[in-house]
Amino acid sequence: MIVLENLTVRFGGLVALDAISAGFAAPVSGIIGPNGAGKTTTMNVISGFLSPAAGQVLVDGTDLLTLPPHRRTRWGLRRSFQREQIADDLTVWENLLAITDNLRLGRREARAEAEQAMEFAGVAVIRDKAGAALNTFERRLTDLARCVAGGPKLIMLDEPAGGLSPEETGRLGDLILRIGEVSGARVLVIDHDVDLIQRICAQTLVLDFGRRIAFGPTAEVLDDPAVKAAYLGVDHA
Amino acid sequence: MRHRALAPILVAVLLVGLLPGIVGGQWVKIFTSTTCFALAAAGAGFMYARLGMVSLAQVALMGVGGWVTLRLNHATGLPFEANLLVGALAASVLGMVLALPALRMRGLYLALVTLMVAGAFEVIFTAYQFPNGGAGFWGVGTSFSAPMRRPLLGESDTAYLRYCLAVGVLGFLLIELHRRTAPGRAWALIRRSEAAALASGVNVTLYKTWAFGLSGFLAGLGGGLLAASLGLLDAATFKASESVLLFALVVVGGTRFWFGAIVTAILYRVVPGLLNNWGVDADLALVFFGAALLHAVITAPDGIAGQIAALFAWRAPHDRA
Ligand SMILES: Nc1ncnc2c1ncn2[C@@H]1O[C@H](COP(=O)(O)OP(=O)(O)OP(=O)(O)O)[C@@H](O)[C@H]1O
Ligand SMILES: [Mg+2]
């Protein structure tokens, strides 16, 4: 269970998150909302890049906010970013090792974890390709592999399908649904692609201007008039 | 991949095996000091290429390594290697202290902080000079100069050049070892973005400090080696402007390839010597370097090393396909 409790973040006068509460129990859950709604900000708080003015984040009873950011990774937190973060100077394999390096695993165990994650995301065949030479889909897959490596407990994907074709998005969605087969991690997905969210997320939180406008089973949430209004607002913008 | 590994081995064998045998006269010392500066340049170069951090105190850190090595040489009977190692470690520790501002700053501001540190050392070195066997903490006597011991394997100038080249090879291997292991991967992530590094569990503070420490270590090694080449050191060698010049040449030489540092050191030490031989004012080298820097910034972002690599169609470690 991922519990956000009363999470509040302010940037000067701007209230980016206004006392957000939600409890995600599904294996894969979504966070949606128009641009600037506070989705990434929520993940930044969970990652430890931002300290909230108030509130708590509890994952299966662990208070994440008390750990420094790099220790959260060792605990089992993984995330990808809106803009993929593959190191250009490293190969796909090295990009994976770059995360297992920091997990307090033995050398063999770390390599086995990295190997398994590459296999899972289907990037083992391009293991020696340099980050700089990867296309968008390969980058997104490598990012996903990094998130799956080393026994994660919570994986957060910030617009993982950004820049992908519908077919690639479909394949990525399949992979996200299969994360449960290779790890016990819960997954939190942000995306603007409502079809993807509808397909892979059992529960969804909808934010708008930092406020929670809906939360619950995805189908119900997407039917909510307030959600429709928020998205119509975007369409007209 | 195969011949990529071959080139460095070949260069190392040629340098250590042949160079000391074929150069003579003043050139022995010039190449020795070239090797010392190549170590420092390699440190500054890897920090720039791997972490995008500019350190303008590299020559000052050489001075620190040289100072400590000289001080121990005159105060103790320890073997050369021990003094050299302690000198390099001292420069390494100072490098790590420099990392403290680097944890909060990047780019121009960090460069300015390191430049101020270089300026501070210039003042200290000029005021107190380098130990020459005199009394007291500073160890400077006015009317005499005690000799600097050399390693047993490098008593003659030629043998000492070979010794320095061998240490130089070890220094380059040390960097390569880092590049291929966890620190190199952590640095690559930090360069990508600190958020990416943190999200991957990288202890950014630790690895940034480590990078500065390694870079300082290499500079200190170069400084200590230089001290034993010359017997004594002069404050003018370690002025802040020299740190700036060396960094500019690091950019000209190219940081993405290991031999960029060699190109840098050749520009820094050999080119002025050549100009001198040809009867040209060595200060003209500065004009030439300025033009080369413009050229590098505008048309050759990977420096001369990048152009050499293009000639042989080698690729930098990060665009191997
Ligand atoms: N570091 C920051 N400093 C100041 N304001 C910020 C900062 N980060 C985000 N914001 C503001 O907070 C609000 C929420 O931003 P956030 O990035 O969370 O939006 P988002 O829902 O992820 O949007 P998008 O779909 O465009 O990615 C925006 O108004 C944004 O401008
Ligand atoms: Mg966002």
Side-chain angles (χ1 to χ4, degrees):
Chain A
M1 183 89 163
I2 307 161
V3 180
L4 310 182
E5 224 173 72
N6 207 22
L7 219 50
T8 303
V9 172
R10 291 189 203 97
F11 296 112
L14 177 85
V15 183
L17 289 181
D18 190 1
I20 301 298
S21 297
F24 301 94
V28 181
S29 310
I31 303 179
I32 62 171
N35 291 110
K39 307 181 295 293
T40 300
T41 301
T42 307
M43 285 196 180
N44 284 345
V45 169
I46 300 176
S47 289
F49 302 158
L50 289 172
S51 302
Q56 268 198 321
V57 177
L58 298 171
V59 182
D60 296 331
T62 307
D63 184 355
L64 272 192
L65 301 189
T66 56
L67 297 174
H70 68 271
R71 289 287 302 278
R72 295 181 200 196
T73 310
R74 205 182 296 161
W75 166 84
L77 182 65
R78 302 284 183 280
R79 82 172 278 184
S80 71
F81 293 81
Q82 218 162 319
R83 181 152 160 40
E84 46 68 34
Q85 296 290 331
I86 300 302
D88 282 347
D89 335 18
L90 303 182
T91 62
V92 169
W93 170 238
E94 288 170 325
N95 264 291
L96 270 129
L97 290 182
I99 195 157
T100 55
D101 278 342
N102 309 304
L103 297 180
R104 292 272 155 102
L105 300 171
R107 186 184 141 91
R108 281 192 39 204
E109 209 182 335
R111 289 181 171 247
E113 281 289 345
E115 197 82 52
Q116 247 172 36
M118 279 197 315
E119 216 50 77
F120 170 77
V123 290
V125 284
I126 48 166
R127 56 184 297 149
D128 290 327
K129 208 165 169 182
L134 299 179
N135 66 33
T136 311
F137 190 41
E138 290 168 336
R139 282 165 184 267
R140 292 292 183 190
L141 290 179
T142 305
D143 243 353
L144 187 69
R146 285 155 43 106
C147 288
V148 174
K153 294 199 180 86
L154 169 56
I155 297 174
M156 303 190 293
L157 305 171
D158 194 348
E159 302 194 20
L164 299 187
S165 72
E167 195 242 324
E168 290 166 341
T169 304
R171 284 167 59 192
L172 188 80
D174 294 342
L175 277 176
I176 295 174
L177 283 173
R178 281 184 42 219
I179 289 179
E181 296 171 14
V182 291
S183 83
R186 269 172 221 292
V187 185
L188 222 51
V189 183
I190 294 177
D191 215 287
H192 284 289
D193 183 340
V194 176
D195 292 338
L196 175 69
I197 295 289
Q198 197 161 19
R199 183 157 89 83
I200 66 176
C201 302
Q203 276 182 308
T204 296
L205 167 68
V206 188
L207 299 177
D208 191 18
F209 292 113
R211 277 170 299 114
R212 164 179 153 172
I213 55 172
F215 176 63
T218 305
E220 280 174 35
V221 158
L222 292 178
D223 239 9
D224 192 312
V227 174
K228 286 185 169 157
Y231 270 89
L232 278 178
V234 173
D235 284 343
H236 284 289
Chain B
M1 197 64 211
R2 284 273 130 104
H3 60 272
R4 282 181 53 85
L6 222 58
I9 296 172
L10 201 69
V11 171
V13 169
L14 283 179
L15 279 179
V16 180
L18 294 183
L19 186 70
I22 48 180
V23 297
Q26 53 164 146
W27 287 102
V28 178
K29 287 223 158 149
I30 291 179
F31 276 108
T32 304
S33 104
T34 302
T35 311
C36 301
F37 281 93
L39 274 169
F46 107 81
M47 284 241 303
Y48 187 58
R50 301 285 149 220
L51 279 143
M53 296 206 280
V54 174
S55 167
L56 296 180
Q58 199 67 353
V59 176
L61 288 175
M62 281 181 85
V64 172
W67 192 95
V68 173
T69 306
L70 277 170
R71 194 70 202 84
L72 287 171
N73 173 76
H74 296 306
T76 70
L78 292 172
F80 174 78
E81 283 76 11
N83 298 339
L84 181 66
L85 196 64
V86 177
L89 287 174
S92 171
V93 169
L94 256 160
M96 290 194 250
V97 172
L98 265 181
L100 296 181
L103 299 176
R104 306 218 138 263
M105 297 177 207
R106 309 198 86 175
L108 180 63
Y109 296 101
L110 173 60
L112 286 175
V113 170
T114 60
L115 183 60
M116 283 191 288
V117 170
F121 276 107
E122 173 174 341
V123 171
I124 295 171
F125 291 148
T126 309
Y128 296 101
Q129 290 298 329
F130 283 84
N132 63 1
F137 174 75
W138 297 102
V140 180
T142 41
S143 54
F144 67 98
S145 178
M148 166 90 190
R149 291 190 299 280
R150 281 202 182 161
L152 292 173
L153 289 172
E155 297 282 3
S156 75
D157 280 354
T158 304
Y160 188 65
L161 170 57
R162 181 168 288 128
Y163 184 91
C164 289
L165 286 167
V167 175
V169 170
L170 290 180
F172 276 71
L173 283 177
L174 187 63
I175 294 181
E176 186 58 16
L177 182 73
H178 275 84
R179 196 178 71 73
R180 286 167 182 245
T181 52
R185 296 191 278 266
W187 292 331
L189 282 183
I190 293 172
R191 191 173 79 133
R192 184 70 179 87
S193 83
E194 270 178 46
L198 280 173
S200 301
V202 170
N203 186 337
V204 173
T205 309
L206 171 76
Y207 281 109
K208 271 192 173 178
T209 309
W210 188 336
F212 271 89
L214 175 60
S215 175
F217 182 84
L218 294 168
L221 213 53
L225 288 173
L226 190 64
S229 168
L230 305 174
L232 69 174
L233 290 176
D234 178 19
T237 311
F238 305 102
K239 287 200 294 207
S241 56
E242 296 300 318
S243 286
V244 177
L245 177 59
L246 186 75
F247 184 79
L249 292 181
V250 162
V251 175
V252 173
T255 54
R256 277 173 57 202
F257 297 87
W258 60 272
F259 51 94
I262 300 178
V263 176
T264 298
I266 288 174
L267 290 172
Y268 187 79
R269 269 298 177 241
V270 179
V271 168
L274 278 177
L275 291 180
N276 208 29
N277 261 13
W278 297 333
V280 183
D281 185 352
D283 280 348
L284 265 182
L286 283 179
V287 178
F288 163 69
F289 291 157
L293 182 60
L294 271 181
H295 169 64
V297 169
I298 296 169
T299 59
D302 292 331
I304 296 175
Q307 293 178 316
I308 296 175
L311 215 60
F312 291 98
W314 291 334
R315 273 176 260 167
H318 56 270
D319 18 76
R320 70 198 141 166

Short mmCIF file of all heavy atoms in Angstrom, two decimals, chain A residues 9-12 14-17 31-44 49-50 82 158-159 190-192 207-210, ligand 1:
data_model
loop_
_atom_site.label_atom_id
_atom_site.label_comp_id
_atom_site.label_asym_id
_atom_site.label_seq_id
_atom_site.Cartn_x
_atom_site.Cartn_y
_atom_site.Cartn_z
N VAL A 9 2.84 20.93 -0.97
CA VAL A 9 4.09 21.54 -1.45
C VAL A 9 3.78 22.94 -1.96
O VAL A 9 2.82 23.14 -2.70
CB VAL A 9 4.72 20.71 -2.59
CG1 VAL A 9 5.90 21.46 -3.21
CG2 VAL A 9 5.16 19.35 -2.10
N ARG A 10 4.58 23.91 -1.53
CA ARG A 10 4.41 25.28 -2.03
C ARG A 10 5.70 25.75 -2.67
O ARG A 10 6.79 25.45 -2.18
CB ARG A 10 4.08 26.23 -0.87
CG ARG A 10 2.71 26.00 -0.30
CD ARG A 10 2.32 27.10 0.69
NE ARG A 10 1.30 26.58 1.59
CZ ARG A 10 1.56 26.09 2.80
NH1 ARG A 10 2.79 26.10 3.27
NH2 ARG A 10 0.58 25.60 3.54
N PHE A 11 5.58 26.43 -3.80
CA PHE A 11 6.72 27.13 -4.40
C PHE A 11 6.41 28.61 -4.28
O PHE A 11 5.65 29.13 -5.10
CB PHE A 11 6.91 26.75 -5.87
CG PHE A 11 7.23 25.30 -6.09
CD1 PHE A 11 6.34 24.45 -6.72
CD2 PHE A 11 8.47 24.79 -5.68
CE1 PHE A 11 6.65 23.12 -6.92
CE2 PHE A 11 8.78 23.46 -5.89
CZ PHE A 11 7.87 22.62 -6.50
N GLY A 12 6.95 29.28 -3.29
CA GLY A 12 6.58 30.67 -3.06
C GLY A 12 5.07 30.74 -2.84
O GLY A 12 4.55 30.06 -1.96
N LEU A 14 2.82 29.78 -5.02
CA LEU A 14 2.11 28.73 -5.76
C LEU A 14 1.95 27.48 -4.91
O LEU A 14 2.92 26.96 -4.38
CB LEU A 14 2.89 28.39 -7.03
CG LEU A 14 2.33 27.27 -7.88
CD1 LEU A 14 1.27 27.79 -8.83
CD2 LEU A 14 3.43 26.59 -8.65
N VAL A 15 0.70 27.02 -4.79
CA VAL A 15 0.47 25.76 -4.07
C VAL A 15 0.49 24.64 -5.11
O VAL A 15 -0.47 24.44 -5.84
CB VAL A 15 -0.86 25.79 -3.31
CG1 VAL A 15 -1.03 24.50 -2.52
CG2 VAL A 15 -0.91 26.99 -2.37
N ALA A 16 1.61 23.92 -5.19
CA ALA A 16 1.77 22.89 -6.22
C ALA A 16 1.04 21.62 -5.82
O ALA A 16 0.56 20.87 -6.67
CB ALA A 16 3.24 22.60 -6.47
N LEU A 17 0.99 21.34 -4.52
CA LEU A 17 0.19 20.22 -4.01
C LEU A 17 -0.57 20.71 -2.79
O LEU A 17 0.02 21.26 -1.86
CB LEU A 17 1.09 19.04 -3.62
CG LEU A 17 1.76 18.25 -4.73
CD1 LEU A 17 2.58 17.11 -4.13
CD2 LEU A 17 0.73 17.71 -5.72
N ILE A 31 -1.38 8.35 -12.02
CA ILE A 31 -1.63 9.74 -11.62
C ILE A 31 -1.78 10.52 -12.91
O ILE A 31 -0.87 10.50 -13.75
CB ILE A 31 -0.46 10.33 -10.80
CG1 ILE A 31 -0.17 9.47 -9.56
CG2 ILE A 31 -0.78 11.76 -10.39
CD1 ILE A 31 0.99 10.01 -8.72
N ILE A 32 -2.92 11.14 -13.08
CA ILE A 32 -3.11 11.93 -14.30
C ILE A 32 -3.56 13.34 -13.94
O ILE A 32 -3.84 13.64 -12.78
CB ILE A 32 -4.14 11.28 -15.27
CG1 ILE A 32 -5.52 11.19 -14.61
CG2 ILE A 32 -3.67 9.91 -15.72
CD1 ILE A 32 -6.62 10.76 -15.60
N GLY A 33 -3.59 14.16 -14.96
CA GLY A 33 -4.00 15.54 -14.76
C GLY A 33 -3.37 16.42 -15.83
O GLY A 33 -2.39 16.02 -16.45
N PRO A 34 -3.95 17.61 -16.05
CA PRO A 34 -3.40 18.51 -17.08
C PRO A 34 -1.98 18.97 -16.74
O PRO A 34 -1.49 18.73 -15.64
CB PRO A 34 -4.37 19.70 -17.05
CG PRO A 34 -5.54 19.27 -16.24
CD PRO A 34 -5.11 18.15 -15.36
N ASN A 35 -1.35 19.64 -17.68
CA ASN A 35 0.00 20.17 -17.45
C ASN A 35 0.02 21.06 -16.22
O ASN A 35 -0.90 21.84 -16.00
CB ASN A 35 0.46 21.01 -18.65
CG ASN A 35 0.70 20.15 -19.87
OD1 ASN A 35 -0.04 20.22 -20.84
ND2 ASN A 35 1.71 19.33 -19.80
N GLY A 36 1.06 20.89 -15.41
CA GLY A 36 1.22 21.74 -14.24
C GLY A 36 0.32 21.34 -13.08
O GLY A 36 0.18 22.07 -12.11
N ALA A 37 -0.30 20.16 -13.16
CA ALA A 37 -1.24 19.74 -12.13
C ALA A 37 -0.55 19.37 -10.82
O ALA A 37 -1.15 19.44 -9.75
CB ALA A 37 -2.05 18.55 -12.62
N GLY A 38 0.73 18.99 -10.90
CA GLY A 38 1.45 18.59 -9.70
C GLY A 38 1.84 17.12 -9.71
O GLY A 38 2.27 16.58 -8.68
N LYS A 39 1.75 16.46 -10.85
CA LYS A 39 2.06 15.03 -10.93
C LYS A 39 3.54 14.78 -10.66
O LYS A 39 3.90 13.97 -9.80
CB LYS A 39 1.69 14.49 -12.33
CG LYS A 39 0.25 14.80 -12.74
CD LYS A 39 -0.09 14.25 -14.10
CE LYS A 39 0.68 14.87 -15.26
NZ LYS A 39 0.36 16.28 -15.50
N THR A 40 4.39 15.47 -11.42
CA THR A 40 5.83 15.28 -11.22
C THR A 40 6.25 15.73 -9.82
O THR A 40 7.10 15.10 -9.19
CB THR A 40 6.61 16.06 -12.30
OG1 THR A 40 6.23 15.55 -13.58
CG2 THR A 40 8.10 15.89 -12.12
N THR A 41 5.61 16.79 -9.35
CA THR A 41 5.93 17.27 -8.00
C THR A 41 5.68 16.17 -6.97
O THR A 41 6.47 15.98 -6.04
CB THR A 41 5.10 18.53 -7.68
OG1 THR A 41 5.39 19.52 -8.65
CG2 THR A 41 5.40 19.07 -6.30
N THR A 42 4.58 15.43 -7.15
CA THR A 42 4.29 14.33 -6.24
C THR A 42 5.45 13.32 -6.24
O THR A 42 5.92 12.89 -5.17
CB THR A 42 2.98 13.62 -6.67
OG1 THR A 42 1.96 14.60 -6.78
CG2 THR A 42 2.59 12.56 -5.67
N MET A 43 5.90 12.96 -7.43
CA MET A 43 7.02 12.00 -7.51
C MET A 43 8.29 12.60 -6.93
O MET A 43 9.08 11.89 -6.30
CB MET A 43 7.25 11.59 -8.96
CG MET A 43 6.18 10.62 -9.45
SD MET A 43 6.67 9.77 -10.96
CE MET A 43 5.22 8.74 -11.21
N ASN A 44 8.50 13.89 -7.15
CA ASN A 44 9.70 14.51 -6.59
C ASN A 44 9.72 14.48 -5.08
O ASN A 44 10.79 14.34 -4.46
CB ASN A 44 9.84 15.95 -7.10
CG ASN A 44 10.32 16.01 -8.54
OD1 ASN A 44 10.81 15.01 -9.07
ND2 ASN A 44 10.17 17.16 -9.17
N PHE A 49 13.50 14.78 -3.70
CA PHE A 49 14.09 15.98 -4.30
C PHE A 49 13.45 17.24 -3.74
O PHE A 49 13.99 18.32 -3.86
CB PHE A 49 13.92 15.97 -5.83
CG PHE A 49 14.53 14.78 -6.49
CD1 PHE A 49 14.10 14.36 -7.74
CD2 PHE A 49 15.55 14.07 -5.88
CE1 PHE A 49 14.67 13.26 -8.36
CE2 PHE A 49 16.12 12.96 -6.48
CZ PHE A 49 15.68 12.55 -7.72
N LEU A 50 12.27 17.09 -3.18
CA LEU A 50 11.55 18.21 -2.58
C LEU A 50 11.10 17.80 -1.19
O LEU A 50 10.70 16.66 -0.98
CB LEU A 50 10.29 18.53 -3.38
CG LEU A 50 10.41 19.16 -4.76
CD1 LEU A 50 9.03 19.19 -5.41
CD2 LEU A 50 10.96 20.56 -4.63
N GLN A 82 10.46 12.21 -16.74
CA GLN A 82 9.71 12.67 -17.91
C GLN A 82 10.64 12.69 -19.12
O GLN A 82 10.29 12.25 -20.19
CB GLN A 82 9.21 14.09 -17.61
CG GLN A 82 7.84 14.36 -18.12
CD GLN A 82 7.24 15.59 -17.43
OE1 GLN A 82 7.38 15.78 -16.22
NE2 GLN A 82 6.56 16.41 -18.20
N ASP A 158 7.49 8.40 -14.78
CA ASP A 158 6.95 9.71 -15.14
C ASP A 158 6.88 9.81 -16.66
O ASP A 158 7.89 9.98 -17.32
CB ASP A 158 7.82 10.82 -14.55
CG ASP A 158 7.14 12.18 -14.61
OD1 ASP A 158 6.10 12.30 -15.30
OD2 ASP A 158 7.65 13.13 -13.98
N GLU A 159 5.69 9.69 -17.20
CA GLU A 159 5.45 9.71 -18.65
C GLU A 159 6.38 8.77 -19.40
O GLU A 159 7.15 9.18 -20.27
CB GLU A 159 5.57 11.15 -19.18
CG GLU A 159 4.58 12.07 -18.47
CD GLU A 159 4.40 13.42 -19.16
OE1 GLU A 159 4.72 13.52 -20.35
OE2 GLU A 159 3.92 14.35 -18.50
N ILE A 190 2.66 8.02 -14.29
CA ILE A 190 2.09 9.28 -14.77
C ILE A 190 2.06 9.20 -16.27
O ILE A 190 3.05 8.78 -16.88
CB ILE A 190 2.99 10.48 -14.39
CG1 ILE A 190 3.06 10.68 -12.89
CG2 ILE A 190 2.51 11.75 -15.09
CD1 ILE A 190 3.98 11.81 -12.49
N ASP A 191 0.95 9.55 -16.89
CA ASP A 191 1.00 9.72 -18.34
C ASP A 191 -0.16 10.56 -18.82
O ASP A 191 -1.21 10.64 -18.17
CB ASP A 191 1.01 8.38 -19.08
CG ASP A 191 1.88 8.46 -20.33
OD1 ASP A 191 1.44 9.09 -21.31
OD2 ASP A 191 2.99 7.93 -20.32
N HIS A 192 0.04 11.20 -19.97
CA HIS A 192 -1.05 11.97 -20.57
C HIS A 192 -1.91 11.10 -21.46
O HIS A 192 -2.97 11.50 -21.89
CB HIS A 192 -0.47 13.15 -21.37
CG HIS A 192 0.01 14.26 -20.50
ND1 HIS A 192 -0.84 15.07 -19.79
CD2 HIS A 192 1.25 14.68 -20.18
CE1 HIS A 192 -0.16 15.95 -19.09
NE2 HIS A 192 1.13 15.74 -19.31
N LEU A 207 -5.19 14.88 -10.55
CA LEU A 207 -4.84 16.17 -9.96
C LEU A 207 -5.16 17.28 -10.95
O LEU A 207 -5.11 17.08 -12.16
CB LEU A 207 -3.34 16.22 -9.63
CG LEU A 207 -2.81 15.18 -8.65
CD1 LEU A 207 -1.28 15.33 -8.51
CD2 LEU A 207 -3.46 15.34 -7.28
N ASP A 208 -5.49 18.43 -10.40
CA ASP A 208 -5.64 19.63 -11.23
C ASP A 208 -5.27 20.82 -10.37
O ASP A 208 -5.82 20.99 -9.28
CB ASP A 208 -7.08 19.73 -11.75
CG ASP A 208 -7.20 20.81 -12.82
OD1 ASP A 208 -6.15 21.20 -13.38
OD2 ASP A 208 -8.33 21.23 -13.10
N PHE A 209 -4.33 21.64 -10.84
CA PHE A 209 -3.85 22.78 -10.06
C PHE A 209 -3.50 22.39 -8.62
O PHE A 209 -3.81 23.13 -7.69
CB PHE A 209 -4.88 23.91 -10.06
CG PHE A 209 -5.03 24.56 -11.40
CD1 PHE A 209 -6.22 24.44 -12.11
CD2 PHE A 209 -3.97 25.27 -11.97
CE1 PHE A 209 -6.37 25.04 -13.36
CE2 PHE A 209 -4.12 25.86 -13.22
CZ PHE A 209 -5.31 25.74 -13.91
N GLY A 210 -2.89 21.26 -8.46
CA GLY A 210 -2.43 20.87 -7.13
C GLY A 210 -3.50 20.27 -6.23
O GLY A 210 -3.21 19.92 -5.09
N1 LIG C 1 11.14 23.56 -8.69
C1 LIG C 1 10.03 24.31 -8.91
N2 LIG C 1 10.02 25.62 -8.58
C2 LIG C 1 8.91 26.37 -8.79
N3 LIG C 1 7.79 25.91 -9.32
C3 LIG C 1 7.74 24.62 -9.67
C4 LIG C 1 8.87 23.74 -9.50
N4 LIG C 1 8.54 22.51 -9.94
C5 LIG C 1 7.27 22.61 -10.38
N5 LIG C 1 6.79 23.86 -10.23
C6 LIG C 1 5.42 24.31 -10.54
O1 LIG C 1 4.54 23.46 -9.86
C7 LIG C 1 3.41 23.15 -10.66
C8 LIG C 1 3.29 21.66 -10.81
O2 LIG C 1 4.38 21.19 -11.63
P1 LIG C 1 4.60 19.67 -12.02
O3 LIG C 1 5.88 19.58 -12.70
O4 LIG C 1 4.37 18.83 -10.84
O5 LIG C 1 3.43 19.46 -13.10
P2 LIG C 1 3.05 18.14 -13.89
O6 LIG C 1 1.69 17.76 -13.41
O7 LIG C 1 4.12 17.14 -13.82
O8 LIG C 1 2.90 18.73 -15.36
P3 LIG C 1 3.37 18.15 -16.78
O9 LIG C 1 2.24 17.28 -17.24
O10 LIG C 1 3.47 19.37 -17.62
O11 LIG C 1 4.63 17.43 -16.56
C9 LIG C 1 3.62 23.88 -11.98
O12 LIG C 1 2.90 25.09 -11.93
C10 LIG C 1 5.09 24.15 -12.01
O13 LIG C 1 5.35 25.32 -12.75
#
